Amino acid sequence: MQLEGQVIDIIYKNDINSYTVATFETSEQEETTIVGYLPFVNEGDNLKITGDIVKHPDYGEQFKIATFEKTMPTTPEALEKYLSNGSFKGVGPATAKKIVNTFGKDTINVIKLEPQKLTQIKGISKEKALEITEQFVANWEIWQIVGFLDKFGIGPQSAEGVYKKLGEGALERISENPYILVDVASKVNFEKVDRIAMEMGVEESNYKRIRSGIKYGLEKIGLNGNSCVLYDNLIKYEQDLLRVDINNIEEAIIQMKAKEEIVLEDRPDGKEWVYSKNFYEAEKNIAEKIVGLRNADNVKRIRTLREDLRIIEDNIDIELSEKQREAIESINEHNVCIITGGPGTGKTTIIKAIIELYKKHGMKPVLCAPTGRAAKRMTETTGEDAKTLHRLLELAGMSDDTDNFNTNLLVTPIDGDIIIVDEASMIDMFLMNYLLKAIYKGTKLVLVGDTDQLPSVGPGSILKDIIDSKQVQTITLNQIFRQAAKSKIIVNAHRVNEGENFISGNVKETQIDEENIELLDDFFYINEANQEKIQQTIVSLCKGRLKKFGNYDFFSNIQVITPTKKGKLGTKELNVLLQKELNPEEVDKDEKEFGEIKFREQDRVMQTKNNYNLLWEKDNDRTFRKELGNGIFNGELGIIDRINKEEKTVRVKYNSNN
């Protein structure tokens, strides 16, 4: 269904996503309520819209917008309203009326092409006339871009972001080189742009096409955790992607190298590696910063360390092993230090001792971790405040795309004498680079983590690479402590790493201590091959079977982990099944479909992508005031508190805003 007319009144507009509720007068002078995403739309704008009539339970019939296009007003009344809707600085209703009365149907052409004529209107100077024209051109270009990008599958919201990045002349730049959209629009992939560009007449051998394909290939490699690729492997990938002669690809690589868009590195083994420039610069900066911190000569050292440790052991009721003492002494003697080891090897005990040690000497420890979950756990185990690296560095302006290395991005310097980073294996190269940028020379850096755990989602295996470089003091913990050794989970984690069979059932054995310890019943292996039965078992465990082991509640204490998305045991099917059983459909629970996923109020959800600009608020228990901030990060868990179908928004209560 299509309507043409004018926006008469904007009833509501969400400033974040531009969701709008407005009164719309059609060309037949009939009024209707329209709802949808309308960025850059003001009262008085003339629109051509498509969509369907929907019935709202409270507000009755509404026209739900699918697509829209801005058109120029034609009647004197419409022209006046358009000029006075706020899009043109300094043009109010009275001035708008004078302009329309003077130029009539030629008003738009005068504004667009002959701004000097506007000076005929009393109160409009030459400068103001030029300003009105500039505003008109910019406004109109935005709308041309919105319409043009629709065929690329880029909606109004993303189109707004494209314009902001490209500025004036954006449409001309896109028409000349459609592949620029791959660089500036995060939700547009190369294949989609390539298909449309070919329809526009771009040749397969076009340099801009091949360049974009190479950049795309390097970014895909980054998404798989790598920072670079073998030259020969890149050539093969690009041949499959671009379907062009190898000479075209090699020539493009040479040009991109000359323009410093990529870096080619020959290594001693005779192999040649290719980096995207941002990846190379990040790696280079990390190496230089680590060496700089390591060699700094103004780091404080504690001279009474051994005596202090004995006092701390008594105060916080711990007993340090020789290996733990060695680790703490290394931290005291070296500016940069890595503590690595599997679960139960005493990493947390070392952190607690370091905190007490430095606080005793009036020095400030700073605790942080790459994810909200890890930061929360760090706070719980140490009793000290820990933040995510994003919040610590205040990286609200950072993009979450693979091309997120910005040498000009400002980070907040860290005020502390020693910085302790837990779960360091999860830090990618970009985040590590920003962290190192924020550390003053003279500040100690301690990286704590387990290289056998999952690496970062982003590019780079930073912790492992630093350890392998042998340029930083590293202490490896391998003794499982008696308390941790009681846990079958911890015992089995180490046995698996060592290539041994895991322990299951009620056994009284351990290879950790000389004497046998009765292991806790915290690890069970259910041998089942039938996928339907596995589904039933998972649901049964989540619904109540685990309660007898500790009154575990699904929404608070249980997490189902699976290595795949598809299939009966993939996240998609399991989430649907668990939702049906644990949070079933109810009359008073609103729902929202997003693609193939149906979200429901009271669903437990996980943030899967960093959103640095999303606004949040939380209650401060001490001041009884609301705190405001921005940024929700990958891995944070929460419960859907409210779904607003009209605004198409979801409100989530996260467990932590660290």
Side-chain angles (χ1 to χ4, degrees), residues 250-304:
E250 290 183 333
E251 185 178 338
I253 289 175
I254 292 170
Q255 291 191 48
M256 293 176 73
K257 180 186 176 184
K259 294 177 180 177
E260 297 185 348
E261 294 178 326
I262 61 174
V263 176
L264 273 62
E265 183 180 77
D266 292 317
R267 297 195 182 168
D269 60 3
K271 294 179 179 178
E272 189 172 27
W273 293 80
V274 186
Y275 287 83
S276 182
K277 186 184 178 182
N278 58 337
F279 284 23
Y280 182 82
E281 291 292 336
E283 279 201 355
K284 181 171 174 281
N285 286 357
I286 290 169
E288 291 175 350
K289 289 286 185 182
I290 289 271
V291 171
L293 285 175
R294 184 195 66 186
N295 296 339
D297 57 5
N298 59 336
V299 180
K300 298 176 182 176
R301 289 176 174 80
I302 297 169
R303 305 300 177 189
T304 56

Short mmCIF file of all heavy atoms in Angstrom, two decimals, residues 250-304:
data_model
loop_
_atom_site.label_atom_id
_atom_site.label_comp_id
_atom_site.label_asym_id
_atom_site.label_seq_id
_atom_site.Cartn_x
_atom_site.Cartn_y
_atom_site.Cartn_z
N GLU A 250 47.51 -9.67 -7.94
CA GLU A 250 48.87 -9.33 -7.53
C GLU A 250 49.19 -7.86 -7.80
O GLU A 250 49.87 -7.20 -7.01
CB GLU A 250 49.87 -10.24 -8.24
CG GLU A 250 49.81 -11.68 -7.74
CD GLU A 250 50.85 -12.57 -8.39
OE1 GLU A 250 51.26 -12.26 -9.52
OE2 GLU A 250 51.27 -13.57 -7.75
N GLU A 251 48.68 -7.34 -8.90
CA GLU A 251 48.89 -5.92 -9.22
C GLU A 251 48.19 -5.03 -8.19
O GLU A 251 48.74 -4.02 -7.75
CB GLU A 251 48.37 -5.62 -10.62
CG GLU A 251 48.66 -4.19 -11.09
CD GLU A 251 48.18 -3.92 -12.48
OE1 GLU A 251 48.00 -4.89 -13.28
OE2 GLU A 251 47.96 -2.74 -12.81
N ALA A 252 46.98 -5.43 -7.79
CA ALA A 252 46.25 -4.66 -6.78
C ALA A 252 46.98 -4.70 -5.44
O ALA A 252 47.04 -3.68 -4.74
CB ALA A 252 44.84 -5.22 -6.62
N ILE A 253 47.54 -5.83 -5.09
CA ILE A 253 48.30 -5.96 -3.84
C ILE A 253 49.50 -5.01 -3.86
O ILE A 253 49.80 -4.34 -2.86
CB ILE A 253 48.73 -7.42 -3.61
CG1 ILE A 253 47.52 -8.27 -3.24
CG2 ILE A 253 49.80 -7.51 -2.52
CD1 ILE A 253 47.82 -9.75 -3.12
N ILE A 254 50.18 -4.94 -4.99
CA ILE A 254 51.34 -4.04 -5.13
C ILE A 254 50.91 -2.59 -4.93
O ILE A 254 51.57 -1.82 -4.21
CB ILE A 254 52.01 -4.24 -6.50
CG1 ILE A 254 52.67 -5.62 -6.58
CG2 ILE A 254 53.05 -3.14 -6.75
CD1 ILE A 254 53.15 -6.00 -7.96
N GLN A 255 49.78 -2.21 -5.55
CA GLN A 255 49.29 -0.84 -5.42
C GLN A 255 48.88 -0.53 -3.98
O GLN A 255 49.15 0.56 -3.46
CB GLN A 255 48.12 -0.60 -6.37
CG GLN A 255 48.49 -0.58 -7.85
CD GLN A 255 47.35 -0.08 -8.73
OE1 GLN A 255 46.75 0.95 -8.45
NE2 GLN A 255 47.07 -0.81 -9.79
N MET A 256 48.20 -1.47 -3.35
CA MET A 256 47.76 -1.27 -1.97
C MET A 256 48.95 -1.17 -1.02
O MET A 256 48.93 -0.39 -0.06
CB MET A 256 46.82 -2.40 -1.54
CG MET A 256 45.48 -2.41 -2.26
SD MET A 256 44.44 -3.82 -1.83
CE MET A 256 43.94 -3.36 -0.16
N LYS A 257 50.00 -1.94 -1.32
CA LYS A 257 51.21 -1.84 -0.52
C LYS A 257 51.85 -0.47 -0.69
O LYS A 257 52.29 0.15 0.29
CB LYS A 257 52.20 -2.94 -0.92
CG LYS A 257 53.50 -2.90 -0.13
CD LYS A 257 54.51 -3.90 -0.65
CE LYS A 257 55.83 -3.77 0.11
NZ LYS A 257 56.87 -4.68 -0.44
N ALA A 258 51.92 0.02 -1.95
CA ALA A 258 52.50 1.33 -2.23
C ALA A 258 51.74 2.45 -1.54
O ALA A 258 52.31 3.44 -1.09
CB ALA A 258 52.55 1.57 -3.73
N LYS A 259 50.41 2.26 -1.42
CA LYS A 259 49.57 3.27 -0.76
C LYS A 259 49.50 3.06 0.75
O LYS A 259 48.76 3.76 1.44
CB LYS A 259 48.16 3.22 -1.35
CG LYS A 259 48.10 3.64 -2.81
CD LYS A 259 46.68 3.50 -3.36
CE LYS A 259 46.62 3.91 -4.83
NZ LYS A 259 45.26 3.70 -5.41
N GLU A 260 50.26 2.07 1.26
CA GLU A 260 50.34 1.75 2.69
C GLU A 260 48.98 1.37 3.26
O GLU A 260 48.67 1.62 4.42
CB GLU A 260 50.94 2.92 3.48
CG GLU A 260 52.38 3.23 3.08
CD GLU A 260 53.00 4.31 3.95
OE1 GLU A 260 52.27 4.97 4.70
OE2 GLU A 260 54.24 4.48 3.87
N GLU A 261 48.16 0.70 2.46
CA GLU A 261 46.89 0.16 2.92
C GLU A 261 47.07 -1.24 3.50
O GLU A 261 46.29 -1.68 4.33
CB GLU A 261 45.87 0.13 1.80
CG GLU A 261 45.46 1.52 1.30
CD GLU A 261 44.49 1.46 0.16
OE1 GLU A 261 44.57 0.52 -0.66
OE2 GLU A 261 43.63 2.35 0.06
N ILE A 262 48.08 -1.95 3.03
CA ILE A 262 48.43 -3.27 3.54
C ILE A 262 49.93 -3.34 3.76
O ILE A 262 50.69 -2.49 3.27
CB ILE A 262 47.98 -4.41 2.59
CG1 ILE A 262 48.66 -4.27 1.22
CG2 ILE A 262 46.46 -4.44 2.43
CD1 ILE A 262 48.38 -5.44 0.29
N VAL A 263 50.34 -4.34 4.52
CA VAL A 263 51.77 -4.52 4.79
C VAL A 263 52.15 -5.95 4.42
O VAL A 263 51.46 -6.90 4.80
CB VAL A 263 52.09 -4.25 6.27
CG1 VAL A 263 53.57 -4.55 6.56
CG2 VAL A 263 51.76 -2.81 6.64
N LEU A 264 53.24 -6.10 3.67
CA LEU A 264 53.79 -7.41 3.34
C LEU A 264 55.07 -7.60 4.15
O LEU A 264 55.93 -6.73 4.18
CB LEU A 264 54.10 -7.52 1.85
CG LEU A 264 52.95 -7.99 0.92
CD1 LEU A 264 51.79 -7.02 0.95
CD2 LEU A 264 53.45 -8.19 -0.50
N GLU A 265 55.16 -8.74 4.82
CA GLU A 265 56.31 -8.99 5.70
C GLU A 265 56.96 -10.32 5.34
O GLU A 265 56.31 -11.37 5.33
CB GLU A 265 55.84 -9.02 7.16
CG GLU A 265 56.96 -9.20 8.16
CD GLU A 265 56.47 -9.21 9.59
OE1 GLU A 265 55.92 -10.24 10.02
OE2 GLU A 265 56.61 -8.20 10.28
N ASP A 266 58.24 -10.26 5.03
CA ASP A 266 59.03 -11.47 4.80
C ASP A 266 59.62 -11.94 6.12
O ASP A 266 60.23 -11.17 6.85
CB ASP A 266 60.16 -11.20 3.80
CG ASP A 266 59.63 -10.92 2.40
OD1 ASP A 266 58.71 -11.63 1.97
OD2 ASP A 266 60.15 -9.98 1.75
N ARG A 267 59.43 -13.23 6.42
CA ARG A 267 59.93 -13.79 7.67
C ARG A 267 61.12 -14.69 7.42
O ARG A 267 61.34 -15.13 6.28
CB ARG A 267 58.81 -14.54 8.38
CG ARG A 267 57.66 -13.60 8.78
CD ARG A 267 56.74 -14.17 9.74
NE ARG A 267 55.64 -13.25 10.06
CZ ARG A 267 54.54 -13.61 10.74
NH1 ARG A 267 54.41 -14.86 11.15
NH2 ARG A 267 53.60 -12.71 10.99
N PRO A 268 61.88 -14.98 8.46
CA PRO A 268 63.09 -15.80 8.29
C PRO A 268 62.86 -17.17 7.67
O PRO A 268 63.78 -17.74 7.07
CB PRO A 268 63.62 -15.94 9.74
CG PRO A 268 63.08 -14.73 10.44
CD PRO A 268 61.76 -14.46 9.84
N ASP A 269 61.62 -17.70 7.81
CA ASP A 269 61.35 -19.01 7.24
C ASP A 269 61.12 -18.97 5.74
O ASP A 269 60.82 -19.99 5.11
CB ASP A 269 60.15 -19.67 7.92
CG ASP A 269 58.86 -18.85 7.79
OD1 ASP A 269 58.88 -17.79 7.12
OD2 ASP A 269 57.83 -19.28 8.36
N GLY A 270 61.24 -17.75 5.13
CA GLY A 270 61.08 -17.61 3.69
C GLY A 270 59.65 -17.38 3.24
O GLY A 270 59.39 -17.19 2.06
N LYS A 271 58.71 -17.39 4.18
CA LYS A 271 57.31 -17.19 3.84
C LYS A 271 56.94 -15.72 3.93
O LYS A 271 57.48 -14.98 4.74
CB LYS A 271 56.41 -18.03 4.75
CG LYS A 271 56.58 -19.53 4.57
CD LYS A 271 55.69 -20.32 5.50
CE LYS A 271 55.85 -21.82 5.29
NZ LYS A 271 55.01 -22.61 6.23
N GLU A 272 56.00 -15.32 3.07
CA GLU A 272 55.56 -13.93 3.03
C GLU A 272 54.14 -13.84 3.59
O GLU A 272 53.26 -14.59 3.20
CB GLU A 272 55.59 -13.40 1.59
CG GLU A 272 55.34 -11.90 1.48
CD GLU A 272 55.57 -11.38 0.07
OE1 GLU A 272 55.40 -12.18 -0.89
OE2 GLU A 272 55.91 -10.20 -0.09
N TRP A 273 53.95 -12.88 4.49
CA TRP A 273 52.67 -12.70 5.17
C TRP A 273 52.08 -11.34 4.81
O TRP A 273 52.82 -10.37 4.62
CB TRP A 273 52.85 -12.83 6.68
CG TRP A 273 53.24 -14.21 7.11
CD1 TRP A 273 54.48 -14.75 7.06
CD2 TRP A 273 52.38 -15.22 7.63
NE1 TRP A 273 54.46 -16.05 7.52
CE2 TRP A 273 53.17 -16.37 7.88
CE3 TRP A 273 51.02 -15.28 7.91
CZ2 TRP A 273 52.65 -17.54 8.40
CZ3 TRP A 273 50.49 -16.46 8.43
CH2 TRP A 273 51.31 -17.57 8.66
N VAL A 274 50.76 -11.29 4.76
CA VAL A 274 50.05 -10.05 4.41
C VAL A 274 49.20 -9.60 5.59
O VAL A 274 48.44 -10.39 6.16
CB VAL A 274 49.16 -10.24 3.17
CG1 VAL A 274 48.56 -8.89 2.74
CG2 VAL A 274 49.95 -10.87 2.02
N TYR A 275 49.35 -8.33 5.95
CA TYR A 275 48.58 -7.71 7.02
C TYR A 275 47.69 -6.59 6.47
O TYR A 275 48.12 -5.85 5.58
CB TYR A 275 49.50 -7.03 8.05
CG TYR A 275 50.28 -7.90 8.98
CD1 TYR A 275 51.48 -8.46 8.58
CD2 TYR A 275 49.84 -8.12 10.28
CE1 TYR A 275 52.23 -9.24 9.45
CE2 TYR A 275 50.60 -8.89 11.16
CZ TYR A 275 51.78 -9.44 10.75
OH TYR A 275 52.52 -10.18 11.62
N SER A 276 46.50 -6.46 7.00
CA SER A 276 45.80 -5.19 6.87
C SER A 276 46.58 -4.18 7.70
O SER A 276 47.11 -4.52 8.76
CB SER A 276 44.37 -5.34 7.39
OG SER A 276 43.68 -4.21 7.25
N LYS A 277 46.68 -2.94 7.22
CA LYS A 277 47.53 -1.97 7.90
C LYS A 277 47.16 -1.78 9.36
O LYS A 277 48.02 -1.68 10.23
CB LYS A 277 47.49 -0.61 7.18
CG LYS A 277 48.50 0.38 7.79
CD LYS A 277 48.42 1.75 7.17
CE LYS A 277 49.41 2.69 7.85
NZ LYS A 277 49.32 4.06 7.31
N ASN A 278 45.84 -1.74 9.65
CA ASN A 278 45.43 -1.52 11.03
C ASN A 278 45.85 -2.68 11.93
O ASN A 278 46.24 -2.49 13.09
CB ASN A 278 43.92 -1.27 11.13
CG ASN A 278 43.10 -2.39 10.56
OD1 ASN A 278 43.57 -3.17 9.74
ND2 ASN A 278 41.85 -2.50 10.96
N PHE A 279 45.83 -3.92 11.40
CA PHE A 279 46.27 -5.06 12.17
C PHE A 279 47.77 -4.97 12.46
O PHE A 279 48.24 -5.23 13.56
CB PHE A 279 45.98 -6.37 11.41
CG PHE A 279 44.54 -6.78 11.44
CD1 PHE A 279 43.52 -5.87 11.66
CD2 PHE A 279 44.18 -8.09 11.25
CE1 PHE A 279 42.20 -6.26 11.67
CE2 PHE A 279 42.86 -8.50 11.26
CZ PHE A 279 41.87 -7.57 11.47
N TYR A 280 48.53 -4.63 11.41
CA TYR A 280 49.99 -4.52 11.54
C TYR A 280 50.37 -3.44 12.56
O TYR A 280 51.23 -3.65 13.41
CB TYR A 280 50.61 -4.22 10.18
CG TYR A 280 52.13 -4.13 10.21
CD1 TYR A 280 52.91 -5.28 10.17
CD2 TYR A 280 52.76 -2.90 10.28
CE1 TYR A 280 54.30 -5.21 10.20
CE2 TYR A 280 54.14 -2.79 10.30
CZ TYR A 280 54.91 -3.96 10.27
OH TYR A 280 56.29 -3.87 10.32
N GLU A 281 49.71 -2.28 12.44
CA GLU A 281 50.02 -1.18 13.34
C GLU A 281 49.69 -1.55 14.78
O GLU A 281 50.43 -1.18 15.71
CB GLU A 281 49.24 0.08 12.93
CG GLU A 281 49.69 0.71 11.63
CD GLU A 281 51.07 1.32 11.72
OE1 GLU A 281 51.49 1.67 12.84
OE2 GLU A 281 51.76 1.46 10.69
N ALA A 282 48.59 -2.27 14.98
CA ALA A 282 48.22 -2.68 16.33
C ALA A 282 49.28 -3.61 16.92
O ALA A 282 49.72 -3.43 18.06
CB ALA A 282 46.86 -3.35 16.32
N GLU A 283 49.69 -4.62 16.15
CA GLU A 283 50.72 -5.55 16.62
C GLU A 283 52.02 -4.82 16.92
O GLU A 283 52.68 -5.07 17.94
CB GLU A 283 50.96 -6.64 15.58
CG GLU A 283 49.97 -7.77 15.61
CD GLU A 283 50.49 -9.03 14.95
OE1 GLU A 283 51.59 -8.99 14.39
OE2 GLU A 283 49.79 -10.05 15.00
N LYS A 284 52.42 -3.93 16.03
CA LYS A 284 53.66 -3.18 16.19
C LYS A 284 53.62 -2.32 17.45
O LYS A 284 54.57 -2.29 18.24
CB LYS A 284 53.89 -2.32 14.95
CG LYS A 284 55.17 -1.47 14.96
CD LYS A 284 55.35 -0.84 13.57
CE LYS A 284 56.53 0.12 13.55
NZ LYS A 284 56.23 1.40 14.12
N ASN A 285 52.50 -1.63 17.65
CA ASN A 285 52.37 -0.77 18.83
C ASN A 285 52.39 -1.57 20.12
O ASN A 285 52.96 -1.15 21.12
CB ASN A 285 51.07 0.04 18.74
CG ASN A 285 51.17 1.16 17.72
OD1 ASN A 285 52.22 1.38 17.10
ND2 ASN A 285 50.08 1.88 17.53
N ILE A 286 51.74 -2.74 20.11
CA ILE A 286 51.74 -3.59 21.29
C ILE A 286 53.16 -3.99 21.66
O ILE A 286 53.58 -3.90 22.83
CB ILE A 286 50.86 -4.84 21.07
CG1 ILE A 286 49.38 -4.45 21.02
CG2 ILE A 286 51.09 -5.88 22.17
CD1 ILE A 286 48.47 -5.56 20.55
N ALA A 287 53.92 -4.44 20.67
CA ALA A 287 55.30 -4.87 20.92
C ALA A 287 56.14 -3.72 21.48
O ALA A 287 56.89 -3.89 22.46
CB ALA A 287 55.92 -5.40 19.63
N GLU A 288 56.02 -2.54 20.88
CA GLU A 288 56.80 -1.39 21.32
C GLU A 288 56.41 -0.95 22.73
O GLU A 288 57.27 -0.61 23.55
CB GLU A 288 56.63 -0.23 20.33
CG GLU A 288 57.29 -0.49 18.98
CD GLU A 288 57.00 0.62 17.97
OE1 GLU A 288 56.14 1.49 18.28
OE2 GLU A 288 57.63 0.63 16.89
N LYS A 289 55.11 -0.94 23.02
CA LYS A 289 54.64 -0.52 24.34
C LYS A 289 55.06 -1.50 25.43
O LYS A 289 55.46 -1.08 26.52
CB LYS A 289 53.11 -0.38 24.33
CG LYS A 289 52.59 0.81 23.52
CD LYS A 289 52.84 2.11 24.24
CE LYS A 289 52.21 3.28 23.49
NZ LYS A 289 52.46 4.58 24.15
N ILE A 290 54.98 -2.80 25.12
CA ILE A 290 55.40 -3.82 26.09
C ILE A 290 56.88 -3.65 26.43
O ILE A 290 57.28 -3.66 27.60
CB ILE A 290 55.13 -5.23 25.54
CG1 ILE A 290 53.62 -5.52 25.51
CG2 ILE A 290 55.88 -6.29 26.35
CD1 ILE A 290 53.02 -6.07 26.63
N VAL A 291 57.70 -3.49 25.42
CA VAL A 291 59.14 -3.31 25.64
C VAL A 291 59.40 -2.02 26.43
O VAL A 291 60.24 -2.00 27.34
CB VAL A 291 59.90 -3.29 24.30
CG1 VAL A 291 61.37 -2.88 24.51
CG2 VAL A 291 59.82 -4.65 23.63
N GLY A 292 58.66 -0.95 26.08
CA GLY A 292 58.83 0.31 26.79
C GLY A 292 58.48 0.21 28.27
O GLY A 292 59.21 0.72 29.13
N LEU A 293 57.38 -0.47 28.58
CA LEU A 293 56.98 -0.67 29.97
C LEU A 293 57.99 -1.56 30.69
O LEU A 293 58.37 -1.29 31.83
CB LEU A 293 55.59 -1.30 30.05
CG LEU A 293 54.38 -0.42 29.76
CD1 LEU A 293 53.11 -1.25 29.75
CD2 LEU A 293 54.25 0.70 30.79
N ARG A 294 58.42 -2.60 30.00
CA ARG A 294 59.36 -3.55 30.60
C ARG A 294 60.67 -2.87 30.99
O ARG A 294 61.26 -3.16 32.04
CB ARG A 294 59.64 -4.68 29.62
CG ARG A 294 60.53 -5.79 30.14
CD ARG A 294 61.03 -6.65 29.00
NE ARG A 294 61.93 -5.91 28.11
CZ ARG A 294 62.43 -6.39 26.98
NH1 ARG A 294 62.10 -7.62 26.58
NH2 ARG A 294 63.24 -5.64 26.23
N ASN A 295 61.14 -1.94 30.16
CA ASN A 295 62.44 -1.31 30.36
C ASN A 295 62.38 -0.02 31.17
O ASN A 295 63.42 0.61 31.40
CB ASN A 295 63.10 -1.02 29.02
CG ASN A 295 63.41 -2.29 28.24
OD1 ASN A 295 63.52 -3.38 28.82
ND2 ASN A 295 63.56 -2.17 26.93
N ALA A 296 61.20 0.40 31.60
CA ALA A 296 61.08 1.64 32.39
C ALA A 296 61.86 1.49 33.70
O ALA A 296 61.90 0.42 34.31
CB ALA A 296 59.62 1.96 32.66
N ASP A 297 62.51 2.57 34.12
CA ASP A 297 63.37 2.49 35.31
C ASP A 297 62.81 3.22 36.53
O ASP A 297 63.50 3.40 37.52
CB ASP A 297 64.76 3.04 35.00
CG ASP A 297 64.73 4.48 34.49
OD1 ASP A 297 63.62 5.08 34.46
OD2 ASP A 297 65.81 4.99 34.09
N ASN A 298 61.54 3.63 36.46
CA ASN A 298 60.97 4.39 37.58
C ASN A 298 59.83 3.65 38.27
O ASN A 298 58.95 4.24 38.86
CB ASN A 298 60.46 5.75 37.09
CG ASN A 298 59.39 5.63 36.02
OD1 ASN A 298 59.31 4.62 35.32
ND2 ASN A 298 58.57 6.66 35.89
N VAL A 299 59.86 2.33 38.21
CA VAL A 299 58.82 1.53 38.84
C VAL A 299 59.18 1.26 40.30
O VAL A 299 60.31 0.88 40.62
CB VAL A 299 58.62 0.20 38.08
CG1 VAL A 299 57.52 -0.62 38.76
CG2 VAL A 299 58.25 0.48 36.63
N LYS A 300 58.18 1.43 41.18
CA LYS A 300 58.41 1.21 42.61
C LYS A 300 58.54 -0.27 42.92
O LYS A 300 57.82 -1.10 42.40
CB LYS A 300 57.25 1.79 43.43
CG LYS A 300 57.08 3.29 43.28
CD LYS A 300 55.86 3.77 44.04
CE LYS A 300 55.68 5.28 43.85
NZ LYS A 300 54.43 5.75 44.51
N ARG A 301 59.49 -0.60 43.80
CA ARG A 301 59.67 -1.97 44.27
C ARG A 301 59.60 -2.00 45.78
O ARG A 301 60.04 -1.06 46.46
CB ARG A 301 61.00 -2.54 43.77
CG ARG A 301 61.00 -2.82 42.27
CD ARG A 301 62.36 -3.29 41.77
NE ARG A 301 62.30 -3.68 40.35
CZ ARG A 301 62.33 -2.83 39.35
NH1 ARG A 301 62.43 -1.52 39.62
NH2 ARG A 301 62.26 -3.25 38.09
N ILE A 302 59.06 -3.06 46.30
CA ILE A 302 58.88 -3.21 47.75
C ILE A 302 60.07 -3.97 48.32
O ILE A 302 60.34 -5.11 47.93
CB ILE A 302 57.56 -3.94 48.06
CG1 ILE A 302 56.38 -3.10 47.55
CG2 ILE A 302 57.43 -4.20 49.56
CD1 ILE A 302 55.06 -3.83 47.57
N ARG A 303 60.82 -3.33 49.24
CA ARG A 303 62.05 -3.92 49.78
C ARG A 303 61.77 -4.93 50.90
O ARG A 303 62.62 -5.78 51.17
CB ARG A 303 62.96 -2.80 50.30
CG ARG A 303 63.28 -1.71 49.26
CD ARG A 303 63.98 -2.29 48.07
NE ARG A 303 64.22 -1.28 47.03
CZ ARG A 303 64.67 -1.57 45.81
NH1 ARG A 303 64.92 -2.84 45.46
NH2 ARG A 303 64.85 -0.58 44.93
N THR A 304 60.65 -4.80 51.54
CA THR A 304 60.33 -5.69 52.68
C THR A 304 59.34 -6.77 52.27
O THR A 304 58.44 -7.14 53.05
CB THR A 304 59.76 -4.86 53.84
OG1 THR A 304 58.60 -4.11 53.37
CG2 THR A 304 60.81 -3.88 54.37
#
